[in-house]
Amino acid sequence: MMNKTTIRTRVLQAVVAVVAVVAAAPGFVQAQGRLRVVTTLPDLRSIAEMIGGDRVDAFAIATGFQNPHFVDPKPSYIRRLASADMFITVGLDLESGWVQPLINSARNRRILVGGEGYVDASVGVPLLQQPASASREQGDIHIYGNPHYWLDPVRGKVIALNIYESLIRLRPSDKDYFAGNLQQFNDSIDESLASWMTLIAPYAGAKIVAYHNEWPYFEERFGMNIVDFLEPKPGIPPSPSQLAKVIHLMQSEGIRIIITSPYFKKDAAELVARKADAVVVTLATSVGATDGIDTYLDLFRYNVSALVAAFEQTGYKRQTSP
């Protein structure tokens, strides 16, 4: 016969087991007040966290130093997606090679296209480089336009609005809370952008070379002038003839900066830099690309500072106000 202590212990164990099962079940976090959000990129996760605050539990599939075109699917991602309340994607075919298999395997109707938890962050974003036609001869062309739009903080405000509208659709009772966070996000972008523009203004119009065509939005916002790429066509590795062409261009026009990304090998960029007396600057394409880039605002803080430092290192002649 069990004594009272044994009975209490077994009752407690049963309660703990029930709580563990309930906590692991889909919808538990939502029931506790937090929406489960899964994003493709850490930039989208950061914005979701800034708008959703403590009402969301956000997870990004890709890391900040991965090429967003290529991510290896893992079973853990499927489990995340299966219990997600919201899924946020860059869209425009950026993640087309790896998102759809994950979504299909997750079998979560809420986050399918058209579902209440599906968010295409590109909706309403003014796009650049929309091709009139596309073929494989042009390289890795995105038929809807260049998808790297999150690298413009002003377009980031459109992303934030898309996330906000989805959050209030899922949780209308928290509309005022989300609206306050959205306003704070927009104010932070406006305030920070003014300081970033002041820093980089002396170098407006400066010619630079990039490894891959992923910077048109950053280029437009911050007044850079990318004149060529190390890749002969998007997604095609640098060829000797392309590198020779770029070296000649840089030497003849005094171009001293090459920008690249964390996931590209540096050997081609460093070869060109040696020949053209230039410097290679690895910019961050996403939150988490390197230590200290923890938020969407950090991303631009880092990139603007890195570019300004490179201009100063090369002795670029600063433009003066008229």
Side-chain angles (χ1 to χ4, degrees), residues 42 162 186 205 244 248 305 315:
N162 288 330
N186 290 338
H248 175 73
S305 296

Side-chain angles (χ1 to χ4, degrees), residues 128-135 138 141-146:
L128 299 176
Q129 300 178 351
Q130 294 176 281
S133 62
S135 71
Q138 297 171 285
I141 293 290
H142 294 280
I143 60 174
Y144 302 111
N146 194 298

Side-chain angles (χ1 to χ4, degrees), residues 153-173:
V154 175
R155 287 175 170 86
K157 292 164 68 173
V158 181
I159 299 173
L161 179 61
N162 288 330
I163 293 173
Y164 161 77
E165 290 177 342
S166 296
L167 286 172
I168 62 173
R169 184 170 62 242
L170 291 171
R171 188 65 61 76
S173 59

Side-chain angles (χ1 to χ4, degrees), residues 156-280:
K157 292 164 68 173
V158 181
I159 299 173
L161 179 61
N162 288 330
I163 293 173
Y164 161 77
E165 290 177 342
S166 296
L167 286 172
I168 62 173
R169 184 170 62 242
L170 291 171
R171 188 65 61 76
S173 59
D174 286 335
K175 180 178 180 179
D176 290 345
Y177 175 79
F178 296 139
N181 288 345
L182 177 65
Q183 185 62 53
Q184 187 175 352
F185 175 85
N186 290 338
D187 291 345
S188 297
I189 290 289
D190 292 341
E191 180 180 348
S192 298
L193 181 61
S195 63
W196 298 329
M197 295 304 294
T198 299
L199 280 174
I200 210 161
Y203 311 102
K207 293 180 179 179
I208 59 179
V209 165
Y211 187 106
H212 177 65
N213 184 17
E214 58 192 331
W215 301 100
Y217 299 95
F218 184 88
E219 175 190 17
E220 179 189 70
R221 181 60 56 199
F222 293 101
M224 298 294 100
N225 183 10
I226 298 174
V227 296
D228 210 341
F229 304 94
L230 299 190
E231 292 180 338
K233 296 177 182 176
I236 306 299
S239 61
S241 60
Q242 176 66 11
L243 297 185
K245 180 169 78 78
V246 171
I247 290 169
H248 175 73
L249 174 69
M250 295 182 71
Q251 290 174 333
S252 60
E253 299 196 17
I255 300 168
R256 305 281 307 281
I257 290 180
I258 302 168
I259 60 174
T260 186
S261 306
Y263 37 80
F264 291 126
K265 293 181 178 178
K266 290 186 177 179
D267 49 355
E270 290 176 343
L271 169 66
V272 174
R274 286 195 299 272
K275 298 289 186 181
D277 190 24
V279 298
V280 179

Side-chain angles (χ1 to χ4, degrees), residues 68-119:
H69 297 87
F70 309 103
V71 174
D72 292 329
K74 296 180 181 178
S76 60
Y77 302 154
I78 297 172
R79 289 196 293 272
R80 291 270 189 178
L81 290 165
S83 60
D85 300 299
M86 180 185 291
F87 171 67
I88 310 172
T89 175
V90 169
L92 306 177
D93 282 345
L94 178 79
E95 316 104 323
S96 61
W98 53 276
V99 158
Q100 202 55 49
L102 290 173
I103 293 292
N104 291 342
S105 299
R107 298 182 179 180
N108 180 350
R109 289 189 299 176
R110 286 171 296 182
I111 60 169
L112 295 178
V113 176
E116 63 176 357
Y118 178 84
V119 183

